[in-house]
Amino acid sequence: MIASGNAGKLREYRELLADRGFELVAFDSEVDEVGETYAENARLKAETACTRSGLPALGDDSGVEVEALGGFPGLRSARLGPTQEERTAELLRRLEGKPRPWNARFVCVIAVAAPGDPTQLFEGECRGEIVPEWRGQAGFGYDPVFLVPGTGKTFGEMTPEEKRLYSHRARAARALLDSGMLEHLFGRSPNQPA
Ligand code: IMP
C-alpha cells in the first residue's frame, strides 16, 4: 500500500519500485499532517494505512527548503496556496529582491510500516537552486523552478529517468531498497516479480 493521494508522487514510486517487482496500491488515508518533522508525518501516513489495510504500507513526507527563507516552506510546502501554480508563485514572490542564487534542497522521508514489525525510516535529499522563471512541464509540484546544479536543467525539464538520478525521493527509495527491509517483509528477492 502507498499512503498518498498525490498523483505525482504515486507515479514516481510506481516507477522507482516497479523494476524490483513490487506493485503499489494507492491508499489515500487523508491523514492530517500534524507532525513537526517529515519523519513524524511519514510515519503517521504509513502506520495509518498499515493499520487500516493490514498490509505493509509506505508513507512519505517531503518538501522544499529555501536557505534565504530560513528553510521555508519545508513541512508546509503543500500548503502555501490552494493550487500548485499559486504555491510556486507564492514561493517566488517571497524570494523577490533576495540576492541569488536561491539555494534550496528537497527532502523526502519514507516510512515503511508493516504488521508486527517496527516502522523504519529512510531519507533522501537533493540540493539545488530555485530559479525565478518556470522551466519545463514535466514532473509535479515545484519541479519547474528547481534547478539541479551541473545539469543546466530544472526537474521540470527532465525525463522521469533523469529526475531519478538526482531526486530526494529516488534517494530515499534507494535507501529503502538497499536496506533489505522489503525482502524481509515479502520473503523473496525484490527483483523477482510478485
Ligand atoms: P507532502 O509530502 O504530501 O506534504 O507534499 C510535499 C509538497 O512538497 C508537494 O505537494 C510539492 O509541492 C512539494 N514536493 C515534494 N516533492 C517534490 C518533487 O519531487 N517535486 C516538486 N515538488 C515536490
Side-chain angles (χ1 to χ4, degrees), residues 46-91:
E47 291 181 351
T48 304
C50 175
T51 306
R52 295 210 193 139
S53 68
L55 294 170
L58 182 156
D60 112 340
D61 200 40
S62 49
V64 64
E65 298 178 351
V66 184
E67 214 172 87
L69 301 176
F72 187 85
L75 282 176
R76 294 184 289 285
S77 297
R79 286 166 264 158
L80 263 195
T83 64
Q84 183 58 51
E85 209 175 312
E86 287 166 88
R87 291 193 276 277
T88 303
E90 173 63 15
L91 182 67

Side-chain angles (χ1 to χ4, degrees), residues 32-158:
D32 284 336
E33 297 189 7
V34 292
E36 282 171 20
T37 61
Y38 300 105
E40 268 181 72
N41 284 333
R43 178 189 290 275
L44 209 59
K45 294 177 199 176
E47 291 181 351
T48 304
C50 175
T51 306
R52 295 210 193 139
S53 68
L55 294 170
L58 182 156
D60 112 340
D61 200 40
S62 49
V64 64
E65 298 178 351
V66 184
E67 214 172 87
L69 301 176
F72 187 85
L75 282 176
R76 294 184 289 285
S77 297
R79 286 166 264 158
L80 263 195
T83 64
Q84 183 58 51
E85 209 175 312
E86 287 166 88
R87 291 193 276 277
T88 303
E90 173 63 15
L91 182 67
L92 295 180
R93 196 188 59 73
R94 287 177 185 239
L95 281 165
E96 255 169 39
K98 304 226 185 256
R100 292 183 62 193
W102 297 330
N103 293 326
R105 67 169 193 150
F106 268 124
V107 185
C108 171
V109 176
I110 292 176
V112 179
D117 265 283
T119 298
Q120 290 194 39
L121 299 168
F122 306 92
E123 184 165 344
E125 73 159 13
C126 174
R127 294 187 174 274
E129 187 189 322
I130 301 295
V131 289
E133 68 284 2
W134 304 39
R135 291 168 41 180
Q137 308 280 326
F140 71 100
Y142 301 93
D143 280 349
V145 295
F146 189 87
L147 181 75
V148 181
T151 68
K153 289 184 187 177
T154 66
F155 274 152
E157 294 173 303
M158 292 188 187

